[in-house]
């Protein structure tokens, strides 16, 4: 994806902030505990926090959470749903916090939007010595037959290169590295944690409709893609009637500040 496309995709979520908040999954608690385990303290920054899906889980495990989000609509939704959390306008490339002010920086389904050539030094600046940077991604478990079929029908706009376990590992292994300049973090660690989300066919279609690739599609193509997904779910016994659990994993990339 070129830089213009990356910016267009990363800025697409604001128009769907309410749907994003309603339909996107939370994160496995075990994944978050693993992400934060090496941190030297409890001060945590949720960077690219969106509507606060990861922030809400963080607030359950830490009393010192700050959220930073660049999109005004997403930030407004976060502030509405989590009024007790400190939430600031800013980005990975311009973090509105002092030097060495947090012990961990986490990003939920957001780190792939960061320009690490700029964001890497900025994240290292706000981290205390020995601090942790962790990216978390919720991926669908395509080792389950009907989920593999869903991925094939949906296409890469809805279920892309970071959205299944095997491709996630390859796509994120070097995500902490800048394109140019000095690497600010040590060797990466990756781990996967079982997760799931209760869905109906309609709510799963609505969830996939909030993916960046779907949001930037021309309206006709988007409608056709969602209709294909809806028809596939209606054809499967696992998803045709009532609620079901979408098999997922919360996957984590963890690195330490040098």
């Amino acid at each position: 994806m070129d830089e213009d496309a990356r910016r267009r995709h990363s800025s697409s979520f604001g128009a769907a902030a309410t749907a994003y908040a309603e339909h996107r999954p939370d994160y496995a608690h075990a994944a978050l505990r693993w992400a934060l385990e090496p941190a030297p303290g409890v001060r945590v920054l949720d960077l690219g926090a969106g509507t606060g899906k990861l922030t809400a889980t963080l607030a359950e495990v830490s009393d010192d959470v700050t959220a930073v989000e660049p999109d005004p609509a997403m930030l407004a939704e976060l502030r509405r749903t989590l009024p007790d959390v400190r939430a600031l306008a800013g980005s990975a490339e311009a973090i509105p916090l002092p030097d060495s002010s947090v012990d961990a920086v986490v990003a939920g389904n957001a780190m792939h939007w960061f320009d690490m050539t700029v964001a890497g030094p900025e994240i290292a600046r706000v981290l205390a010595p020995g601090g942790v940077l962790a990216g978390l991604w919720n991926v669908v478990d395509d080792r389950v037959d009907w989920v593999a079929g869903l991925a094939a029908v949906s296409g890469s706009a809805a279920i892309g290169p970071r959205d299944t376990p095997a491709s996630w590992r390859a796509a994120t292994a070097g995500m902490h590295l800048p394109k140019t300049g000095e690497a600010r973090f040590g060797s990466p660690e990756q781990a996967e944690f079982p997760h799931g989300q209760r869905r109906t066919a309609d709510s799963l279609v609505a969830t996939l409709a909030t993916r960046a690739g779907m949001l930037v599609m021309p309206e006709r193509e988007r409608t056709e893609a969602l209709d294909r997904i809806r028809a596939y779910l209606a054809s499967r016994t696992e998803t045709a009637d009532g609620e079901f659990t979408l098999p997922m994993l919360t996957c984590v990339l963890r690195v330490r500040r040098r």
Side-chain angles (χ1 to χ4, degrees):
M1 184 183 296
D2 63 28
E3 185 61 20
D4 287 343
R6 187 188 69 84
R7 288 174 180 167
R8 187 171 71 254
H9 282 66
S10 66
S11 63
S12 65
F13 298 109
T18 301
Y20 192 104
E22 180 179 357
H23 294 294
R24 285 294 183 105
D26 61 3
Y27 294 83
H29 284 62
L32 189 55
R33 287 194 295 270
W34 185 84
L36 297 177
E37 186 270 332
V42 298
R43 301 169 299 170
V44 184
L45 167 61
D46 185 1
L47 190 55
T51 61
K53 287 291 183 177
L54 181 56
T55 316
T57 307
L58 282 169
E60 296 176 11
V61 300
S62 174
D63 294 326
D64 193 344
V65 176
T66 300
V68 167
E69 166 57 35
D71 187 279
M74 303 285 272
L75 183 60
E77 184 67 23
L78 189 157
R79 286 171 169 164
R80 184 186 69 80
T81 57
L82 297 169
D84 295 330
V85 172
R86 183 189 185 200
L88 306 174
S91 68
E93 295 78 17
I95 302 172
L97 293 176
D99 295 357
S100 301
S101 58
V102 297
D103 300 297
V105 174
V106 299
N109 279 78
M111 193 171 165
H112 49 276
W113 302 124
F114 299 170
D115 176 1
M116 288 304 291
T117 301
V118 180
E122 185 69 347
I123 293 167
R125 178 186 66 79
V126 302
L127 275 172
V132 171
L133 168 63
L136 292 85
W137 287 265
N138 280 320
V139 308
V140 296
D141 191 350
D142 63 347
R143 296 169 296 188
V144 177
D145 179 66
W146 75 262
V147 180
L150 174 66
V153 166
S154 298
S156 61
I159 299 179
R162 292 172 304 274
D163 296 330
T164 57
S167 59
W168 167 83
R169 282 190 170 268
T172 64
M175 197 157 283
H176 59 295
L177 298 173
K179 293 179 181 177
T180 61
E182 178 187 357
R184 304 301 177 109
F185 303 96
S187 299
E189 301 172 272
Q190 292 175 302
E192 303 170 1
F193 299 85
H195 197 29
Q197 184 186 28
R198 294 294 290 173
R199 297 281 80 184
T200 63
D202 286 343
S203 65
L204 180 51
V205 170
T207 300
L208 295 175
T210 67
R211 299 294 179 93
M214 300 295 287
L215 292 172
V216 301
M217 263 187 183
E219 185 61 31
R220 181 177 177 179
E221 291 180 26
R222 184 171 181 267
T223 299
E224 290 173 352
L226 294 175
D227 285 347
R228 285 197 307 273
I229 296 168
R230 192 175 288 108
Y232 172 77
L233 295 173
S235 76
R236 298 289 306 210
T237 58
E238 300 94 337
T239 58
D241 295 307
E243 283 195 341
F244 54 86
T245 297
L246 173 64
M248 302 173 63
L249 300 166
T250 296
C251 299
V252 188
L253 169 72
R254 184 177 74 182
V255 291
R256 299 284 295 272
R257 178 186 181 272
R258 284 180 171 167

